[in-house]
Amino acid sequence: LRTACRGLALARRTSSDSHSHLSQQIGEQFTQHYYQIFDSNRQGLVALYNDSSLLTFEGEQFMGATSIVQKIVSLPFQTVQHQVVKADCQPNPSNGGVIVFVTGNLIVDGGAATPLKFAQVFHLAPSGGSFFCQNDMFRLNIG
């Protein structure tokens, strides 16, 4: 992510096509990293948020890295696997960040025959040569 972040800063000074490409790269790298940690060690997600981060999970809000990860860790399943179907990414010109919209399948406790559909939005904000998750919105697609 740090290399892509440096590239994003450089792209701001060049073309918008390059900026969009780097935003897509950063978003996809973040998404892969996030779900890999989520699926193997949910407590490890604390490093991807900070004290000003905000999660909206099925309409309920949680502020700050500790509160967010406590919610994620408390989810009522033992095992989980995220299958990303699509990650659409856009640069955020107001702060140099990246907006990521993810759709996918969620396999909970080995239920591969009945995956849950989900959508998640991340706002990645730059910080110290890398990015953190400033905003996170999650919904199951039921109904």
Side-chain angles (χ1 to χ4, degrees), residues 40-99:
S40 62
N41 174 24
R42 287 181 262 172
Q43 190 67 41
L45 292 171
V46 72
L48 301 181
Y49 297 97
N50 76 12
D51 291 340
S52 69
S53 297
L54 182 63
L55 166 68
T56 302
F57 186 90
E58 294 290 330
E60 191 176 359
Q61 291 193 339
F62 302 87
M63 180 104 181
T66 302
S67 178
I68 290 168
V69 173
Q70 283 175 349
K71 172 58 181 176
I72 293 170
V73 168
S74 75
L75 295 172
F77 48 78
Q78 297 302 309
T79 63
V80 62
Q81 179 187 1
H82 290 82
Q83 296 174 335
V84 173
V85 172
K86 186 65 181 158
D88 295 315
C89 308
Q90 293 182 354
N92 181 351
S94 67
N95 74 347
V98 178
I99 307 293

Short mmCIF file of all heavy atoms in Angstrom, two decimals, residues 40-99:
data_model
loop_
_atom_site.label_atom_id
_atom_site.label_comp_id
_atom_site.label_asym_id
_atom_site.label_seq_id
_atom_site.Cartn_x
_atom_site.Cartn_y
_atom_site.Cartn_z
N SER A 40 -8.90 -14.54 8.91
CA SER A 40 -7.95 -15.35 9.68
C SER A 40 -7.74 -14.87 11.11
O SER A 40 -7.46 -15.67 12.00
CB SER A 40 -6.60 -15.40 8.96
OG SER A 40 -6.05 -14.09 8.86
N ASN A 41 -7.84 -13.55 11.35
CA ASN A 41 -7.57 -13.01 12.69
C ASN A 41 -8.26 -11.66 12.82
O ASN A 41 -7.62 -10.61 12.67
CB ASN A 41 -6.06 -12.87 12.91
CG ASN A 41 -5.73 -12.17 14.21
OD1 ASN A 41 -6.51 -12.17 15.15
ND2 ASN A 41 -4.55 -11.58 14.27
N ARG A 42 -9.56 -11.66 13.09
CA ARG A 42 -10.34 -10.42 13.11
C ARG A 42 -9.74 -9.35 14.02
O ARG A 42 -9.83 -8.16 13.73
CB ARG A 42 -11.78 -10.71 13.53
CG ARG A 42 -12.57 -11.40 12.44
CD ARG A 42 -13.98 -11.65 12.87
NE ARG A 42 -14.09 -13.03 13.34
CZ ARG A 42 -15.16 -13.53 13.93
NH1 ARG A 42 -16.21 -12.78 14.16
NH2 ARG A 42 -15.18 -14.79 14.29
N GLN A 43 -9.12 -9.75 15.12
CA GLN A 43 -8.51 -8.79 16.05
C GLN A 43 -7.42 -7.97 15.35
O GLN A 43 -7.19 -6.82 15.68
CB GLN A 43 -7.92 -9.53 17.25
CG GLN A 43 -7.49 -8.63 18.38
CD GLN A 43 -8.65 -7.92 19.07
OE1 GLN A 43 -9.70 -8.50 19.30
NE2 GLN A 43 -8.47 -6.66 19.37
N GLY A 44 -6.77 -8.55 14.34
CA GLY A 44 -5.71 -7.87 13.61
C GLY A 44 -6.18 -6.68 12.79
O GLY A 44 -5.37 -5.87 12.33
N LEU A 45 -7.49 -6.53 12.61
CA LEU A 45 -8.02 -5.40 11.84
C LEU A 45 -7.81 -4.07 12.54
O LEU A 45 -7.90 -3.02 11.91
CB LEU A 45 -9.52 -5.61 11.55
CG LEU A 45 -9.86 -6.74 10.60
CD1 LEU A 45 -11.37 -6.97 10.57
CD2 LEU A 45 -9.34 -6.45 9.20
N VAL A 46 -7.52 -4.09 13.82
CA VAL A 46 -7.36 -2.84 14.58
C VAL A 46 -6.31 -1.92 13.94
O VAL A 46 -6.45 -0.69 13.98
CB VAL A 46 -7.05 -3.12 16.08
CG1 VAL A 46 -5.63 -3.64 16.27
CG2 VAL A 46 -7.33 -1.91 16.92
N ALA A 47 -5.31 -2.49 13.30
CA ALA A 47 -4.24 -1.69 12.68
C ALA A 47 -4.71 -0.94 11.44
O ALA A 47 -4.03 -0.02 10.98
CB ALA A 47 -3.06 -2.59 12.33
N LEU A 48 -5.86 -1.30 10.88
CA LEU A 48 -6.35 -0.67 9.66
C LEU A 48 -7.28 0.51 9.93
O LEU A 48 -7.68 1.20 8.99
CB LEU A 48 -7.05 -1.71 8.78
CG LEU A 48 -6.19 -2.89 8.36
CD1 LEU A 48 -6.99 -3.83 7.47
CD2 LEU A 48 -4.92 -2.44 7.67
N TYR A 49 -7.64 0.71 11.19
CA TYR A 49 -8.52 1.82 11.60
C TYR A 49 -7.75 2.75 12.52
O TYR A 49 -6.65 2.43 12.95
CB TYR A 49 -9.74 1.26 12.35
CG TYR A 49 -10.64 0.37 11.54
CD1 TYR A 49 -10.53 -1.01 11.60
CD2 TYR A 49 -11.62 0.91 10.71
CE1 TYR A 49 -11.38 -1.83 10.87
CE2 TYR A 49 -12.47 0.10 9.97
CZ TYR A 49 -12.34 -1.28 10.06
OH TYR A 49 -13.18 -2.08 9.33
N ASN A 50 -8.34 3.91 12.85
CA ASN A 50 -7.78 4.76 13.89
C ASN A 50 -8.90 5.28 14.78
O ASN A 50 -10.05 4.89 14.63
CB ASN A 50 -6.87 5.86 13.31
CG ASN A 50 -7.62 7.00 12.67
OD1 ASN A 50 -8.83 7.15 12.82
ND2 ASN A 50 -6.91 7.82 11.93
N ASP A 51 -8.58 6.19 15.69
CA ASP A 51 -9.57 6.66 16.67
C ASP A 51 -10.72 7.45 16.04
O ASP A 51 -11.79 7.56 16.64
CB ASP A 51 -8.90 7.49 17.76
CG ASP A 51 -8.02 6.63 18.66
OD1 ASP A 51 -8.21 5.40 18.69
OD2 ASP A 51 -7.14 7.19 19.33
N SER A 52 -10.51 8.00 14.85
CA SER A 52 -11.58 8.76 14.19
C SER A 52 -12.38 7.92 13.19
O SER A 52 -13.32 8.42 12.58
CB SER A 52 -11.01 10.00 13.48
OG SER A 52 -10.24 9.60 12.36
N SER A 53 -12.03 6.66 13.02
CA SER A 53 -12.71 5.78 12.07
C SER A 53 -14.15 5.52 12.52
O SER A 53 -14.44 5.47 13.72
CB SER A 53 -11.98 4.44 11.96
OG SER A 53 -10.68 4.61 11.44
N LEU A 54 -15.03 5.35 11.54
CA LEU A 54 -16.44 5.10 11.81
C LEU A 54 -16.92 3.92 10.99
O LEU A 54 -16.73 3.88 9.77
CB LEU A 54 -17.27 6.34 11.47
CG LEU A 54 -18.77 6.27 11.73
CD1 LEU A 54 -19.06 6.09 13.22
CD2 LEU A 54 -19.46 7.52 11.21
N LEU A 55 -17.53 2.94 11.67
CA LEU A 55 -18.14 1.78 11.02
C LEU A 55 -19.65 1.87 11.18
O LEU A 55 -20.15 2.12 12.29
CB LEU A 55 -17.66 0.48 11.68
CG LEU A 55 -18.45 -0.80 11.35
CD1 LEU A 55 -18.27 -1.21 9.90
CD2 LEU A 55 -18.04 -1.93 12.28
N THR A 56 -20.37 1.69 10.08
CA THR A 56 -21.81 1.47 10.14
C THR A 56 -22.03 0.03 9.70
O THR A 56 -21.75 -0.33 8.56
CB THR A 56 -22.59 2.44 9.23
OG1 THR A 56 -22.28 3.78 9.61
CG2 THR A 56 -24.08 2.21 9.34
N PHE A 57 -22.49 -0.79 10.64
CA PHE A 57 -22.69 -2.21 10.39
C PHE A 57 -24.18 -2.51 10.53
O PHE A 57 -24.73 -2.44 11.63
CB PHE A 57 -21.89 -3.06 11.39
CG PHE A 57 -21.92 -4.52 11.12
CD1 PHE A 57 -20.98 -5.10 10.29
CD2 PHE A 57 -22.92 -5.33 11.66
CE1 PHE A 57 -21.02 -6.46 10.02
CE2 PHE A 57 -22.98 -6.68 11.38
CZ PHE A 57 -22.02 -7.25 10.56
N GLU A 58 -24.84 -2.78 9.41
CA GLU A 58 -26.27 -3.05 9.41
C GLU A 58 -27.04 -1.95 10.15
O GLU A 58 -27.95 -2.22 10.92
CB GLU A 58 -26.56 -4.42 10.03
CG GLU A 58 -26.02 -5.60 9.24
CD GLU A 58 -26.76 -5.85 7.93
OE1 GLU A 58 -27.97 -5.55 7.87
OE2 GLU A 58 -26.14 -6.33 6.98
N GLY A 59 -26.64 -0.69 9.93
CA GLY A 59 -27.34 0.46 10.50
C GLY A 59 -26.87 0.88 11.88
O GLY A 59 -27.29 1.93 12.37
N GLU A 60 -26.01 0.13 12.52
CA GLU A 60 -25.50 0.45 13.85
C GLU A 60 -24.10 1.04 13.72
O GLU A 60 -23.26 0.48 13.00
CB GLU A 60 -25.48 -0.83 14.69
CG GLU A 60 -25.22 -0.61 16.15
CD GLU A 60 -25.31 -1.91 16.95
OE1 GLU A 60 -25.58 -2.99 16.37
OE2 GLU A 60 -25.07 -1.84 18.15
N GLN A 61 -23.83 2.15 14.41
CA GLN A 61 -22.55 2.83 14.25
C GLN A 61 -21.59 2.57 15.41
O GLN A 61 -22.01 2.49 16.57
CB GLN A 61 -22.75 4.34 14.08
CG GLN A 61 -23.41 4.67 12.76
CD GLN A 61 -23.35 6.14 12.42
OE1 GLN A 61 -23.17 7.00 13.28
NE2 GLN A 61 -23.49 6.45 11.14
N PHE A 62 -20.30 2.48 15.05
CA PHE A 62 -19.22 2.26 16.00
C PHE A 62 -18.08 3.20 15.65
O PHE A 62 -17.67 3.26 14.49
CB PHE A 62 -18.74 0.80 15.93
CG PHE A 62 -19.83 -0.18 16.21
CD1 PHE A 62 -20.64 -0.63 15.18
CD2 PHE A 62 -20.09 -0.61 17.50
CE1 PHE A 62 -21.68 -1.52 15.42
CE2 PHE A 62 -21.13 -1.50 17.75
CZ PHE A 62 -21.94 -1.95 16.71
N MET A 63 -17.57 3.92 16.65
CA MET A 63 -16.52 4.92 16.41
C MET A 63 -15.23 4.49 17.08
O MET A 63 -15.22 4.06 18.24
CB MET A 63 -16.96 6.26 17.00
CG MET A 63 -15.97 7.36 16.82
SD MET A 63 -16.57 8.41 15.51
CE MET A 63 -15.28 9.59 15.41
N GLY A 64 -14.12 4.61 16.34
CA GLY A 64 -12.80 4.31 16.86
C GLY A 64 -12.40 2.86 16.63
O GLY A 64 -13.24 1.96 16.61
N ALA A 65 -11.10 2.65 16.44
CA ALA A 65 -10.57 1.33 16.10
C ALA A 65 -10.98 0.25 17.10
O ALA A 65 -11.40 -0.84 16.71
CB ALA A 65 -9.05 1.40 15.97
N THR A 66 -10.88 0.55 18.38
CA THR A 66 -11.18 -0.46 19.40
C THR A 66 -12.64 -0.86 19.36
O THR A 66 -12.97 -2.06 19.36
CB THR A 66 -10.81 0.08 20.80
OG1 THR A 66 -9.42 0.41 20.81
CG2 THR A 66 -11.07 -0.96 21.88
N SER A 67 -13.54 0.10 19.30
CA SER A 67 -14.98 -0.17 19.24
C SER A 67 -15.35 -0.94 17.98
O SER A 67 -16.15 -1.89 18.02
CB SER A 67 -15.75 1.14 19.32
OG SER A 67 -17.13 0.92 19.22
N ILE A 68 -14.76 -0.56 16.86
CA ILE A 68 -15.04 -1.23 15.58
C ILE A 68 -14.62 -2.69 15.64
O ILE A 68 -15.38 -3.59 15.29
CB ILE A 68 -14.33 -0.49 14.43
CG1 ILE A 68 -15.00 0.87 14.19
CG2 ILE A 68 -14.33 -1.34 13.15
CD1 ILE A 68 -14.22 1.79 13.27
N VAL A 69 -13.41 -2.94 16.10
CA VAL A 69 -12.90 -4.31 16.13
C VAL A 69 -13.65 -5.14 17.17
O VAL A 69 -13.91 -6.33 16.94
CB VAL A 69 -11.37 -4.34 16.33
CG1 VAL A 69 -10.87 -5.75 16.53
CG2 VAL A 69 -10.70 -3.71 15.10
N GLN A 70 -14.06 -4.53 18.28
CA GLN A 70 -14.88 -5.27 19.25
C GLN A 70 -16.16 -5.76 18.60
O GLN A 70 -16.60 -6.89 18.83
CB GLN A 70 -15.20 -4.39 20.46
CG GLN A 70 -14.05 -4.25 21.42
CD GLN A 70 -14.35 -3.26 22.56
OE1 GLN A 70 -15.35 -2.54 22.53
NE2 GLN A 70 -13.48 -3.24 23.55
N LYS A 71 -16.79 -4.92 17.79
CA LYS A 71 -18.00 -5.32 17.07
C LYS A 71 -17.71 -6.47 16.12
O LYS A 71 -18.44 -7.48 16.09
CB LYS A 71 -18.61 -4.13 16.30
CG LYS A 71 -19.76 -4.50 15.39
CD LYS A 71 -20.91 -5.16 16.15
CE LYS A 71 -22.05 -5.54 15.22
NZ LYS A 71 -23.10 -6.26 15.93
N ILE A 72 -16.67 -6.33 15.33
CA ILE A 72 -16.33 -7.36 14.34
C ILE A 72 -16.01 -8.69 15.02
O ILE A 72 -16.46 -9.75 14.58
CB ILE A 72 -15.17 -6.88 13.44
CG1 ILE A 72 -15.65 -5.70 12.56
CG2 ILE A 72 -14.63 -8.02 12.58
CD1 ILE A 72 -14.54 -4.99 11.81
N VAL A 73 -15.25 -8.65 16.11
CA VAL A 73 -14.88 -9.87 16.83
C VAL A 73 -16.11 -10.53 17.45
O VAL A 73 -16.17 -11.75 17.57
CB VAL A 73 -13.80 -9.56 17.89
CG1 VAL A 73 -13.58 -10.73 18.84
CG2 VAL A 73 -12.48 -9.20 17.20
N SER A 74 -17.11 -9.73 17.82
CA SER A 74 -18.30 -10.27 18.50
C SER A 74 -19.31 -10.91 17.54
O SER A 74 -20.30 -11.47 18.00
CB SER A 74 -19.01 -9.16 19.28
OG SER A 74 -19.72 -8.29 18.41
N LEU A 75 -19.07 -10.84 16.26
CA LEU A 75 -20.02 -11.42 15.29
C LEU A 75 -20.17 -12.93 15.55
O LEU A 75 -19.18 -13.62 15.82
CB LEU A 75 -19.58 -11.14 13.87
CG LEU A 75 -19.59 -9.66 13.48
CD1 LEU A 75 -18.96 -9.44 12.12
CD2 LEU A 75 -21.01 -9.09 13.51
N PRO A 76 -21.40 -13.44 15.46
CA PRO A 76 -21.69 -14.81 15.92
C PRO A 76 -21.37 -15.93 14.93
O PRO A 76 -22.25 -16.68 14.52
CB PRO A 76 -23.20 -14.74 16.20
CG PRO A 76 -23.70 -13.78 15.17
CD PRO A 76 -22.60 -12.73 15.05
N PHE A 77 -20.12 -16.03 14.54
CA PHE A 77 -19.70 -17.16 13.72
C PHE A 77 -18.28 -17.52 14.10
O PHE A 77 -17.53 -16.69 14.62
CB PHE A 77 -19.81 -16.87 12.22
CG PHE A 77 -19.23 -15.55 11.78
CD1 PHE A 77 -17.86 -15.39 11.64
CD2 PHE A 77 -20.06 -14.48 11.49
CE1 PHE A 77 -17.33 -14.18 11.23
CE2 PHE A 77 -19.54 -13.26 11.08
CZ PHE A 77 -18.17 -13.12 10.95
N GLN A 78 -17.92 -18.77 13.83
CA GLN A 78 -16.58 -19.24 14.15
C GLN A 78 -15.61 -19.02 12.99
O GLN A 78 -14.50 -18.58 13.18
CB GLN A 78 -16.61 -20.73 14.53
CG GLN A 78 -17.44 -21.01 15.77
CD GLN A 78 -16.93 -20.25 16.98
OE1 GLN A 78 -15.75 -20.29 17.29
NE2 GLN A 78 -17.82 -19.53 17.65
N THR A 79 -16.08 -19.36 11.78
CA THR A 79 -15.23 -19.21 10.61
C THR A 79 -15.97 -18.37 9.57
O THR A 79 -17.20 -18.39 9.50
CB THR A 79 -14.84 -20.56 9.97
OG1 THR A 79 -16.02 -21.22 9.53
CG2 THR A 79 -14.09 -21.43 10.97
N VAL A 80 -15.19 -17.65 8.76
CA VAL A 80 -15.77 -16.82 7.72
C VAL A 80 -14.80 -16.76 6.55
O VAL A 80 -13.58 -16.80 6.74
CB VAL A 80 -16.10 -15.40 8.24
CG1 VAL A 80 -14.85 -14.69 8.70
CG2 VAL A 80 -16.84 -14.59 7.20
N GLN A 81 -15.36 -16.69 5.35
CA GLN A 81 -14.56 -16.52 4.15
C GLN A 81 -15.28 -15.51 3.26
O GLN A 81 -16.45 -15.69 2.93
CB GLN A 81 -14.38 -17.84 3.41
CG GLN A 81 -13.58 -17.71 2.14
CD GLN A 81 -13.55 -19.00 1.33
OE1 GLN A 81 -14.14 -20.00 1.70
NE2 GLN A 81 -12.86 -18.95 0.21
N HIS A 82 -14.57 -14.44 2.91
CA HIS A 82 -15.10 -13.43 1.99
C HIS A 82 -14.66 -13.79 0.57
O HIS A 82 -13.48 -14.05 0.34
CB HIS A 82 -14.56 -12.04 2.33
CG HIS A 82 -15.09 -11.48 3.59
ND1 HIS A 82 -14.59 -11.81 4.82
CD2 HIS A 82 -16.09 -10.58 3.80
CE1 HIS A 82 -15.25 -11.14 5.76
NE2 HIS A 82 -16.17 -10.39 5.16
N GLN A 83 -15.60 -13.79 -0.35
CA GLN A 83 -15.31 -13.95 -1.77
C GLN A 83 -15.70 -12.64 -2.45
O GLN A 83 -16.90 -12.36 -2.57
CB GLN A 83 -16.07 -15.12 -2.37
CG GLN A 83 -15.71 -16.46 -1.81
CD GLN A 83 -16.61 -17.57 -2.35
OE1 GLN A 83 -17.75 -17.34 -2.76
NE2 GLN A 83 -16.09 -18.78 -2.34
N VAL A 84 -14.71 -11.87 -2.86
CA VAL A 84 -14.99 -10.60 -3.52
C VAL A 84 -15.41 -10.87 -4.96
O VAL A 84 -14.70 -11.54 -5.70
CB VAL A 84 -13.76 -9.67 -3.47
CG1 VAL A 84 -13.99 -8.41 -4.29
CG2 VAL A 84 -13.43 -9.33 -2.03
N VAL A 85 -16.57 -10.35 -5.33
CA VAL A 85 -17.04 -10.45 -6.71
C VAL A 85 -16.53 -9.25 -7.50
O VAL A 85 -16.02 -9.39 -8.60
CB VAL A 85 -18.59 -10.53 -6.77
CG1 VAL A 85 -19.08 -10.44 -8.21
CG2 VAL A 85 -19.07 -11.81 -6.11
N LYS A 86 -16.63 -8.06 -6.90
CA LYS A 86 -16.18 -6.84 -7.58
C LYS A 86 -15.78 -5.79 -6.55
O LYS A 86 -16.40 -5.67 -5.52
CB LYS A 86 -17.31 -6.30 -8.47
CG LYS A 86 -16.93 -5.13 -9.34
CD LYS A 86 -15.91 -5.51 -10.39
CE LYS A 86 -15.54 -4.30 -11.22
NZ LYS A 86 -14.27 -4.42 -11.86
N ALA A 87 -14.72 -5.06 -6.87
CA ALA A 87 -14.30 -3.91 -6.06
C ALA A 87 -14.15 -2.73 -7.01
O ALA A 87 -13.25 -2.71 -7.84
CB ALA A 87 -12.99 -4.20 -5.34
N ASP A 88 -15.06 -1.77 -6.91
CA ASP A 88 -15.00 -0.55 -7.70
C ASP A 88 -14.35 0.54 -6.85
O ASP A 88 -14.73 0.71 -5.68
CB ASP A 88 -16.40 -0.10 -8.12
CG ASP A 88 -17.06 -1.09 -9.05
OD1 ASP A 88 -16.39 -1.56 -9.99
OD2 ASP A 88 -18.25 -1.40 -8.85
N CYS A 89 -13.41 1.25 -7.42
CA CYS A 89 -12.64 2.24 -6.66
C CYS A 89 -12.62 3.58 -7.39
O CYS A 89 -12.58 3.62 -8.62
CB CYS A 89 -11.21 1.77 -6.48
SG CYS A 89 -11.07 0.10 -5.79
N GLN A 90 -12.64 4.64 -6.60
CA GLN A 90 -12.55 6.00 -7.13
C GLN A 90 -11.62 6.82 -6.26
O GLN A 90 -11.61 6.65 -5.04
CB GLN A 90 -13.92 6.69 -7.12
CG GLN A 90 -14.94 6.13 -8.04
CD GLN A 90 -16.24 6.93 -7.98
OE1 GLN A 90 -16.39 7.83 -7.18
NE2 GLN A 90 -17.17 6.59 -8.85
N PRO A 91 -10.88 7.75 -6.88
CA PRO A 91 -10.09 8.67 -6.07
C PRO A 91 -11.00 9.67 -5.37
O PRO A 91 -12.07 10.01 -5.88
CB PRO A 91 -9.20 9.38 -7.11
CG PRO A 91 -9.93 9.24 -8.40
CD PRO A 91 -10.71 7.96 -8.32
N ASN A 92 -10.62 10.08 -4.19
CA ASN A 92 -11.34 11.14 -3.47
C ASN A 92 -10.48 12.39 -3.55
O ASN A 92 -9.53 12.54 -2.78
CB ASN A 92 -11.58 10.73 -2.02
CG ASN A 92 -12.33 11.78 -1.25
OD1 ASN A 92 -12.54 12.89 -1.72
ND2 ASN A 92 -12.74 11.43 -0.04
N PRO A 93 -10.79 13.30 -4.46
CA PRO A 93 -9.93 14.47 -4.66
C PRO A 93 -9.92 15.44 -3.48
O PRO A 93 -9.00 16.23 -3.35
CB PRO A 93 -10.50 15.14 -5.91
CG PRO A 93 -11.89 14.62 -6.04
CD PRO A 93 -11.92 13.28 -5.38
N SER A 94 -10.90 15.34 -2.57
CA SER A 94 -10.93 16.29 -1.46
C SER A 94 -9.88 16.00 -0.39
O SER A 94 -9.47 16.90 0.33
CB SER A 94 -12.32 16.33 -0.81
OG SER A 94 -12.60 15.11 -0.17
N ASN A 95 -9.43 14.73 -0.29
CA ASN A 95 -8.41 14.43 0.72
C ASN A 95 -7.30 13.50 0.21
O ASN A 95 -6.46 13.08 0.98
CB ASN A 95 -9.04 13.84 1.98
CG ASN A 95 -9.49 12.40 1.81
OD1 ASN A 95 -9.56 11.88 0.70
ND2 ASN A 95 -9.82 11.77 2.92
N GLY A 96 -7.32 13.18 -1.08
CA GLY A 96 -6.29 12.29 -1.62
C GLY A 96 -6.52 10.83 -1.27
O GLY A 96 -5.63 10.01 -1.43
N GLY A 97 -7.71 10.52 -0.78
CA GLY A 97 -8.03 9.15 -0.40
C GLY A 97 -8.64 8.36 -1.53
O GLY A 97 -8.63 8.77 -2.70
N VAL A 98 -9.21 7.22 -1.17
CA VAL A 98 -9.81 6.31 -2.14
C VAL A 98 -11.13 5.81 -1.57
O VAL A 98 -11.21 5.44 -0.39
CB VAL A 98 -8.88 5.10 -2.43
CG1 VAL A 98 -9.52 4.12 -3.40
CG2 VAL A 98 -7.53 5.57 -2.94
N ILE A 99 -12.18 5.79 -2.41
CA ILE A 99 -13.46 5.21 -2.06
C ILE A 99 -13.52 3.83 -2.72
O ILE A 99 -13.24 3.71 -3.92
CB ILE A 99 -14.64 6.07 -2.56
CG1 ILE A 99 -14.51 7.51 -2.10
CG2 ILE A 99 -15.97 5.44 -2.16
CD1 ILE A 99 -14.65 7.73 -0.64
#
